Amino acid sequence: MMFDSVVLGAGIVGVSTAIHLQQRGHAVALVDLRAPGQETSYGNGGLIQREGVYPYAFPRGLRALLRYAGNRANDVRYHLRDVGQFAPFLAAYWRYSHPARHAAIARNYATLITHCVDEHRALAQAAGARGLMRSTGWIKVFRTPAVQDAEAANAARWHAEFGVGFALLDAAQLRAAEPDLDTSLVGGLHYTDAESVSDPGALVTAYAALFVRLGGRIFLGDAKSLRESGGRWVVHTQDGDVDAKHAVIALGPWADDVTTRLGYRLPLAVKRGYHMHYAPRGGAQLHRPVLDAENGFLLAPMARGIRLTTGVELADRDAPKTPVQLAAVEPVARTLFPLGERLDAEPWMGRRPCTPDMMPVIGPAPRHKGLWFAFGHAHHGLTLGPVTGRLIAEMITGETPFVDPSPFRANRF
């Protein structure tokens, strides 16, 4: 089966890439082990983060480091047995998180983030999925004035540098916006330009349906079967071999399963996370996602219920679930908002694909013609999927990229 391009990975990045290539006249095959949107893209907080110009840095203050070292913080936990595996990545992550380096990274990263809402809206409109997106922003809530003041200072700086929209809410304004939240909160920070999604998995499914309507084809197959043959790329699927001139690796946390086989040694790691859905109690309503700044969890109104998402778990990608963070924050979350019974049989676990400099890998593979990388989006996979898809498609088809891709090249490490 002959195609112009094969995209490996049917999460938000892969599906978006497949759409943009198909729209530009390529015959595209989309290959994954599972149906679109069933892995990492399924279980996030549903945020399209226009404010996310500064990617999440490694803490550098001694107090924060000591707090995390005890392995009892709500927002970050680690598996002791895997510390050696993560040590080189964490050391590099710490170096890139120096304030001067972080600021330089943000200037490049913002070139992607700036377009995230517009690119999602364009795909959602074409897919008939605008009803899954809400233009209500999201709110970071605070239990102490000191934390609120520090976060407000950051927001003001981001507004000055990158035009990030926000509104600082006092306690009364927060209660007016979200009446069912804990009345002891001192205030909030409303990021007004962000969008949220009521069902991230359904959004990816809708985008995949658009891809099929455009003439694209979806196959079940193992990306690890990818091989080069006669200047083309071949991958085995349940329906036979797919043969294409271009291959895009958009496999998120599984990208290095393929890149390593091809001789690349990229500094990739995963941050695991969990979610659980709850019924609201007593008719309570949550109108937009809310993040508890001091406790490191997010509550988001979803089609299935109120989704509680946890922070970061540093562990081997394929280790069994250990949802201790969820157990730790659930009682706190119940004080923030009136959560009722659990709606899921067990916690969902996902894996965020990360690089130490906090930026994705987007662009051509350095040593293979026709091979392209699109992974490493960490906490912003849903946010940046359509931006990355357009950027990769423009590079493959020879258009002038709408964003300078050079900061995201694979050979920067």
Side-chain angles (χ1 to χ4, degrees), residues 365-382:
R367 298 191 301 275
H368 290 85
K369 186 177 181 181
L371 184 66
W372 302 82
F373 294 161
F375 50 79
H377 294 77
H379 298 262
H380 289 148
L382 180 68

Side-chain angles (χ1 to χ4, degrees), residues 264-386:
Y264 295 94
R265 297 293 182 269
L266 298 171
L268 300 175
V270 298
K271 298 176 182 177
R272 305 196 323 173
Y274 299 86
H275 84 225
M276 172 62 68
H277 291 100
Y278 302 81
R281 264 193 306 110
Q285 291 185 314
L286 192 65
H287 300 96
R288 55 185 64 76
V290 170
L291 187 144
D292 186 322
E294 278 97 337
N295 290 290
F297 66 86
L298 179 85
L299 292 178
M302 294 283 178
R304 179 163 171 74
I306 305 298
R307 179 180 289 184
L308 167 59
T309 69
T310 68
V312 169
E313 180 185 65
L314 297 172
D316 182 82
R317 183 191 68 188
D318 301 321
K321 294 179 183 179
T322 52
V324 293
Q325 282 172 297
L326 186 67
V329 300
E330 183 180 296
V332 184
R334 291 185 181 279
T335 69
L336 179 64
F337 180 84
L339 298 175
E341 71 274 16
R342 288 185 169 194
L343 299 178
D344 303 324
E346 62 180 35
W348 180 91
M349 185 188 77
R351 305 155 178 90
R352 308 173 183 98
C354 303
T355 65
D357 69 353
M358 297 159 275
M359 295 197 299
V361 180
I362 305 172
R367 298 191 301 275
H368 290 85
K369 186 177 181 181
L371 184 66
W372 302 82
F373 294 161
F375 50 79
H377 294 77
H379 298 262
H380 289 148
L382 180 68
T383 294
L384 292 177

Side-chain angles (χ1 to χ4, degrees), residues 164-211:
V164 169
F166 74 97
L168 191 61
L169 308 178
D170 62 23
Q173 290 168 324
L174 177 59
R175 282 195 292 276
E178 295 290 348
D180 292 314
L181 291 180
D182 181 0
T183 57
S184 70
L185 296 168
V186 300
L189 185 61
H190 184 192
Y191 286 110
T192 55
D193 297 336
E195 299 242 347
S196 64
V197 179
S198 62
D199 190 334
L203 185 69
V204 180
T205 299
Y207 288 1
L210 169 63
F211 167 66

Side-chain angles (χ1 to χ4, degrees), residues 43-285:
N44 51 77
L47 298 178
I48 302 171
Q49 292 187 255
R50 170 59 183 86
E51 86 295 337
V53 289
Y54 271 79
Y56 296 99
F58 193 94
R60 294 180 62 93
L62 180 59
R63 179 178 297 179
L65 291 173
L66 290 174
R67 183 168 70 91
Y68 293 132
N71 206 21
R72 298 183 64 83
N74 287 337
D75 52 343
V76 179
R77 297 288 178 100
Y78 59 88
H79 286 191
L80 185 60
R81 63 180 175 273
D82 296 325
V83 168
Q85 171 186 330
F86 276 89
F89 173 85
L90 293 177
Y93 188 11
W94 185 83
R95 290 194 299 272
Y96 280 114
S97 297
H98 182 279
R101 285 190 171 189
H102 195 205
I105 287 166
R107 288 191 288 274
N108 290 321
Y109 198 65
T111 64
L112 299 176
I113 290 289
T114 298
H115 300 282
C116 66
V117 171
D118 288 341
E119 292 301 314
H120 258 291
R121 285 176 176 170
L123 288 192
Q125 186 67 37
R130 282 291 282 130
L132 294 171
M133 294 172 60
R134 301 170 294 219
S135 300
T136 54
W138 66 279
I139 298 177
K140 185 177 289 189
V141 297
F142 306 101
R143 299 173 184 274
T144 61
V147 175
Q148 182 174 22
D149 291 346
E151 294 285 348
N154 285 335
R157 179 162 54 91
W158 299 347
H159 174 75
E161 288 184 79
F162 304 110
V164 169
F166 74 97
L168 191 61
L169 308 178
D170 62 23
Q173 290 168 324
L174 177 59
R175 282 195 292 276
E178 295 290 348
D180 292 314
L181 291 180
D182 181 0
T183 57
S184 70
L185 296 168
V186 300
L189 185 61
H190 184 192
Y191 286 110
T192 55
D193 297 336
E195 299 242 347
S196 64
V197 179
S198 62
D199 190 334
L203 185 69
V204 180
T205 299
Y207 288 1
L210 169 63
F211 167 66
V212 172
R213 290 199 299 273
L214 292 169
R217 293 187 63 188
I218 299 174
F219 298 91
L220 295 178
D222 190 345
K224 292 195 292 292
S225 68
L226 182 71
R227 69 183 190 277
E228 194 175 17
S229 177
R232 295 176 66 85
W233 293 95
V234 180
V235 63
H236 184 68
T237 77
Q238 290 184 3
D239 297 302
D241 284 350
V242 166
D243 182 303
K245 181 179 179 181
H246 300 278
V248 181
I249 298 175
L251 292 164
W254 296 277
D256 57 352
D257 287 352
V258 177
T259 58
T260 300
R261 292 162 66 94
L262 295 171
Y264 295 94
R265 297 293 182 269
L266 298 171
L268 300 175
V270 298
K271 298 176 182 177
R272 305 196 323 173
Y274 299 86
H275 84 225
M276 172 62 68
H277 291 100
Y278 302 81
R281 264 193 306 110
Q285 291 185 314

